[in-house]
Amino acid sequence: MKIAFAKPALPTEGALVVSVLADGVLSPTAAAIDAQTGGLIARAIAASRFEGKKDQTLLLLTPHGLEVSRLLLVGLGKPDEIDALTAEAFGGAVVAQLQAAGDTLVTVAVDNVSGASVFAADLAAHIGYGAKLRSYRFDKYRTTEKKDEKPSVKKVVITLDDHSDAKREYALLQSVAEGVFLTRDLASEPANVIFPASLAAQASALTEHGLEVEVLGEKQMRKLGMGALLGVGQGSECESQMVVLRWNGAEDKSAAPIAFVGKGVTFDSGGISIKPAAGMEDMKWDMGGAAVVIGLMKALALRKARVNVVGVVGLVENMPSGTAQRPGDVVTSMSGQTIEVINTDAEGRLVLADALWYTQGQFKPKIMVDLATLTGAIIISLGDAYAGLFSNDDDLANQLLAAGKGVGEQVWRMPLGEPYDKQIKSDIADMKNTGGREGGSITAAMFLKRFVNDVKWAHLDIAGVTWAKKDGPVTPKGATAFGVRLLDRLVAENYEQK
């Protein structure tokens, strides 16, 4: 779906969208149309429950006095509460309402709103961004879908006086949307299409955008001593991989980078500690953390971020077989620390252990943030509304909290501490890979903390937010790409050269 910007003009085809504020206060464009149509909008509002609240919509078909096929009213809420997220939800609501209506063209009229914290150009850019994000659809395997079942909207034109400013601002947001779409694509693909080597190939293709990409195979990782990561993948016929993506956008190309590390278990059967059959198909997106890192690196490259960044993803498939890792096995990580494998389904932390150690040792980053669909325990704690945040640095934690709130991908800080560390003490090795049911997401984070040394580090447990069971304001049901926008904002606000 294409997003375009133009000068104000009433369209002569397709659908028209206008905004209404709280208590039914009409925007200037809506007021003008109301006058032109003899009070059509006012009468429609009076006859409905529509009050102009945020996220409310009211669809009018073939309105008399207009040449468009339908008129959509979308609520903006109270002026002093309108912000970028309100605008994005507005754009998402437009797409959700009109994608199945049959129109190929949608025109959105944007006015300045007195008392709002964003001007019309900002409002328009974020409306376009929300519409773009909401338009995502993973349908490459639908071969028998009828035409009337497919989305109809091909183009959204957003009209306003400052259309040139809106277009420039949207260009940066569109780069982030491209990263989001790549992440959603990767997480949506089945495990027979996305496995370690094919995911590494997808990452390698990003060299066309200026990224440097290196792929480590099992021979190289074995030489580096990555016994924790390699142990997870030894039951699969698919060779494990580690991919390093680098973007050198700072003036000083040798300056220490910021680092993002992703768990990439392309399918997680649980290994010998096999999962129940019900729902196991969902484990194709256990590589969600790696997908976020790959999508984020694409977004940063497309918008030419003025910062040095390294992304590292450990890619494995966790399968049961005669060569698979067993409960009770002891593996030696790259750090030299030994790990007793109590449960082969607690595999993501083993992958991250070597990936984190490699990253902090090889690149000496300013900060290091890892993302992983790590524990079911975080879903019990936070549901699907927040990701779990664990950090050894208050400043970094606060930056992530602020960035998440700013883009609508919220995180909740969880504790770390010695009592939880004691739960992963092993009788025969330096540690064990599980600490029991109590505080499961915290003991997993404490495990990871043993592999970061003194680097400022944060761990995001995204198990509850990587896949949506229902539509959201800008996220269709399915892969969410939670983390791409969050980390892009973290970079832009705190680490990018101004």
Side-chain angles (χ1 to χ4, degrees):
M1 189 179 73
K2 183 178 180 181
I3 307 294
F5 298 85
K7 293 181 178 179
L10 288 180
T12 57
E13 60 177 315
L16 173 62
V17 181
V18 296
S19 59
V20 179
L21 301 173
D23 300 321
V25 176
L26 304 184
S27 64
T29 300
I33 292 173
D34 190 55
Q36 179 181 333
T37 57
L40 169 70
I41 295 178
R43 291 196 304 273
I45 291 175
S48 71
R49 294 182 176 181
F50 179 84
E51 299 175 349
K53 294 179 180 178
K54 187 168 60 174
D55 301 331
Q56 278 191 316
T57 59
L58 181 61
L59 184 63
L60 310 178
L61 299 177
T62 53
H64 178 72
L66 296 176
E67 297 183 67
V68 296
S69 59
R70 66 199 83 237
L71 178 66
L72 178 65
L73 312 182
V74 181
L76 274 174
K78 297 178 181 179
D80 60 354
E81 296 178 356
I82 296 172
D83 57 14
L85 291 180
T86 304
E88 290 167 18
F90 183 109
V94 169
V95 171
Q97 283 289 322
L98 297 176
Q99 274 287 41
D103 294 300
T104 58
L105 173 66
V106 175
T107 302
V108 182
V110 174
D111 302 292
N112 268 315
V113 178
S114 179
S117 61
V118 290
F119 294 108
D122 299 321
L123 197 66
H126 282 274
I127 287 173
Y129 187 38
K132 184 73 174 179
L133 291 172
R134 186 62 178 79
S135 72
Y136 177 83
R137 194 169 187 257
F138 189 77
D139 57 5
K140 64 183 289 187
Y141 299 114
R142 300 182 186 183
T143 63
T144 60
E145 193 172 36
K146 297 177 181 178
K147 185 177 179 180
D148 60 3
E149 295 175 333
K150 296 180 179 180
S152 62
V153 178
K154 304 298 182 185
K155 185 176 182 179
V156 174
V157 178
I158 302 171
T159 64
L160 70 160
D161 291 327
D162 299 331
H163 62 94
S164 296
D165 290 342
K167 183 178 181 179
R168 280 192 294 272
E169 184 175 347
Y170 175 74
L172 295 175
L173 297 171
Q174 184 179 25
S175 296
V176 181
E178 292 298 323
V180 168
F181 281 19
L182 173 58
T183 295
R184 290 177 179 174
D185 282 346
L186 295 176
S188 299
E189 289 281 9
N192 62 321
V193 174
I194 290 296
F195 44 89
S198 64
L199 185 50
Q202 291 269 8
S204 296
L206 296 180
T207 54
E208 67 175 299
H209 301 300
L211 289 166
E212 298 174 12
V213 183
E214 179 185 10
V215 180
L216 308 181
E218 288 186 354
K219 184 177 180 180
Q220 293 161 289
M221 289 189 284
R222 193 168 289 112
K223 187 176 292 186
L224 290 167
M226 295 186 182
L229 183 152
L230 291 170
V232 176
Q234 72 185 40
S236 172
E237 293 186 2
C238 297
E239 180 178 346
S240 299
Q241 313 267 282
M242 179 175 284
V243 182
V244 180
L245 306 98
R246 300 200 67 177
W247 171 254
N248 294 312
E251 289 184 12
D252 181 2
K253 307 302 181 187
S254 64
I258 57 175
F260 300 104
V261 181
K263 168 192 170 183
V265 180
T266 59
F267 187 77
D268 181 21
S269 68
I272 296 298
S273 307
I274 196 164
K275 294 177 180 290
M280 195 191 290
E281 69 276 5
D282 289 343
M283 289 299 95
K284 68 178 185 177
W285 48 258
D286 206 19
M287 38 63 72
V292 168
V293 172
I294 294 168
L296 171 67
M297 296 301 289
K298 179 179 182 179
L300 295 174
L302 287 176
R303 69 173 185 80
K304 308 297 182 187
R306 298 177 299 279
V307 63
N308 295 338
V309 186
V310 60
V312 177
V313 293
L315 310 179
V316 302
E317 185 180 58
N318 186 22
M319 297 290 283
S321 74
T323 61
Q325 186 166 250
R326 296 159 290 254
D329 284 1
V330 174
V331 296
T332 302
S333 67
M334 185 182 177
S335 70
Q337 298 176 90
T338 57
I339 305 163
E340 181 186 8
V341 179
I342 301 298
N343 188 328
T344 64
D345 194 25
E347 83 301 329
R349 65 203 70 182
L350 299 175
V351 174
L352 287 174
D354 282 338
L356 288 167
W357 191 265
Y358 175 82
T359 302
Q360 58 91 23
Q362 186 79 4
F363 301 107
K364 306 296 189 293
K366 294 178 182 177
I367 64 161
M368 186 163 59
V369 179
D370 77 73
L371 303 95
T373 49
L374 204 64
T375 67
I378 203 66
I379 304 176
I380 301 303
S381 299
L382 301 176
D384 60 2
Y386 289 79
L389 163 64
F390 304 81
S391 183
N392 63 2
D393 184 81
D394 290 342
D395 289 339
L396 176 56
N398 289 332
Q399 289 168 359
L400 284 162
L401 287 163
K405 187 175 181 180
V407 301
E409 293 185 341
Q410 299 216 65
V411 297
W412 190 271
R413 192 173 186 185
M414 304 286 284
L416 294 169
E418 183 64 24
Y420 302 104
D421 198 58
K422 291 179 180 178
Q423 288 180 232
I424 56 173
K425 184 178 179 180
S426 168
D427 292 334
I428 66 168
D430 295 325
M431 70 194 85
K432 56 186 180 180
N433 74 330
T434 62
R437 291 179 60 84
E438 297 83 3
S441 59
I442 306 173
T443 54
M446 292 303 300
F447 180 95
L448 298 179
K449 187 174 182 289
R450 295 187 178 206
F451 299 90
V452 301
N453 286 327
D454 296 325
V455 178
K456 293 181 179 180
W457 158 79
H459 159 59
L460 298 178
D461 193 333
I462 57 173
V465 294
T466 291
W467 195 266
K469 296 180 180 179
K470 58 183 179 181
D471 295 335
V474 297
T475 306
K477 177 183 177 182
T480 65
F482 184 106
V484 175
R485 292 185 291 147
L486 163 64
L487 296 180
D488 176 77
R489 178 66 65 90
L490 174 77
V491 171
E493 290 190 342
N494 302 285
Y495 299 98
E496 197 166 349
Q497 294 172 343
K498 304 302 181 184

